[in-house]
Every structure is written in C-alpha cells, then in structure tokens.
Amino acid sequence: MRPLRLCVSQNNHVDKLLNYIRFWQADGESEKISIRTKTAHGQLVESGHFRGGHNPFGYDAVKMGRTNKRKYELYDLKVNDAEAEVVKIIFDKYTNEKHGAHSIATWLNKNGYHTREGKNWHPATICGILKNPTYIGVLRSGESRSDVIPELQIISPEQFEKTQA
C-alpha cells in the first residue's frame, strides 16, 4: 500500500505543476490581449474616432457609417445641444462664478436640470465633467489623445485650462 500512496502523491504534484504551467500560460495570453486592446483603443482615439463605451454627458453616440473589421457599425460622438448647454453652465459657474462641485450640483438640482437618466446631479459627476478633455474636442484612451476635433468642442481651450488651474 505504501507504493500506491507514493504514486498518488507524485501524481498529485505533477497535476499541480501542470495546472500551474497552464495558469501561467493563460495569464501571459491575457496580458497580450490586454496590450493589444489598449493599443487598438489608443490608435482609434489618435485617429480621431470614439473608441466606444459610455458617451460623455453633452454628446450622443451616433452611427456614421463606419464599420470595424467584423462588419459591425461603429459609433461616433455628436454634440447634444440641450446637454451641451448644461455643460457650459457647469464650466461657467466653476470658472467665472467660483462655485465648487457641490454648489454647482445643488444649483442644477434646484433649477430643474437633471442628468441624462433623469436623476439629481452629484458633485463627483460635476468633477468628472470639469476634468474631461472631450469638452474641448480631445478624445482620450489611457495615455493616448486625439488632436482637437472642432465639431466636438463645447468649451474653449482657454476656459478648460482656467478650470484645470
């Protein structure tokens, strides 16, 4: 019986080692896929195209006839005029009237402005809007940035720079 135990124990170690190698290999593949995805998103953005995902407040995602290599129609951003007015109010209150994010959110909620989902504004959402370079027409993905796309510009670069300072 002892040799059988020894054999079972050795098989157990071999199985563990094989599993370790498989997981290590899968982890390497996962990293490669992640790098390829980030690179592709960066290239899309640098060429001036929306990479997908949640479109920022102030913009609509619209089909413009572009397709990917799998023939799926892709979306581009287009300014939503009604939402863009709210974005302008947010930047104006922050840069010119010196309101903070909490104060702006409170003002918007009291004056009947709501988010796209019809909910009340939250200060964190206001902060996200104030830091987003999309409003000056610059798309981003990670470290990648597009050139300025004039048709996406809601806020002037000067006002955005003032806001960041």
Side-chain angles (χ1 to χ4, degrees), residues 54-57 83 114-121 125:
H54 182 74
N55 51 308
F57 187 82
E83 290 180 0
H114 297 287
T115 65
R116 186 178 290 144
E117 294 80 23
K119 296 182 180 178
N120 281 339
W121 286 94
T125 307

Side-chain angles (χ1 to χ4, degrees), residues 18-58:
L18 287 173
N19 276 339
Y20 176 79
I21 291 170
R22 284 186 194 112
F23 289 129
W24 173 68
Q25 194 175 22
D27 186 55
E29 286 301 315
S30 177
E31 289 225 9
K32 287 179 193 174
I33 291 169
S34 174
I35 290 168
R36 282 195 300 266
T37 302
K38 287 177 186 173
T39 301
H41 283 176
Q43 289 170 343
L44 262 176
V45 162
E46 287 171 2
S47 66
H49 297 294
F50 181 51
R51 70 172 182 86
H54 182 74
N55 51 308
F57 187 82

Side-chain angles (χ1 to χ4, degrees), residues 89 93 103-114:
I89 290 169
K93 291 210 165 287
S103 172
I104 294 170
T106 302
W107 186 90
L108 290 170
N109 294 331
K110 282 184 180 176
N111 287 284
Y113 294 98
H114 297 287

Side-chain angles (χ1 to χ4, degrees), residues 42-81:
Q43 289 170 343
L44 262 176
V45 162
E46 287 171 2
S47 66
H49 297 294
F50 181 51
R51 70 172 182 86
H54 182 74
N55 51 308
F57 187 82
Y59 299 95
D60 292 325
V62 294
K63 292 183 179 182
M64 301 291 249
R66 285 188 315 117
T67 58
N68 65 10
K69 61 184 175 185
R70 294 187 182 124
K71 306 294 184 226
Y72 289 112
E73 196 165 8
L74 301 175
Y75 292 88
D76 283 310
L77 292 179
K78 184 177 180 208
V79 174
N80 175 316
D81 294 329

Side-chain angles (χ1 to χ4, degrees), residues 8-27:
V8 169
S9 177
Q10 284 176 341
N11 282 342
N12 193 21
H13 287 297
V14 170
D15 288 343
K16 285 182 179 180
L17 179 60
L18 287 173
N19 276 339
Y20 176 79
I21 291 170
R22 284 186 194 112
F23 289 129
W24 173 68
Q25 194 175 22
D27 186 55

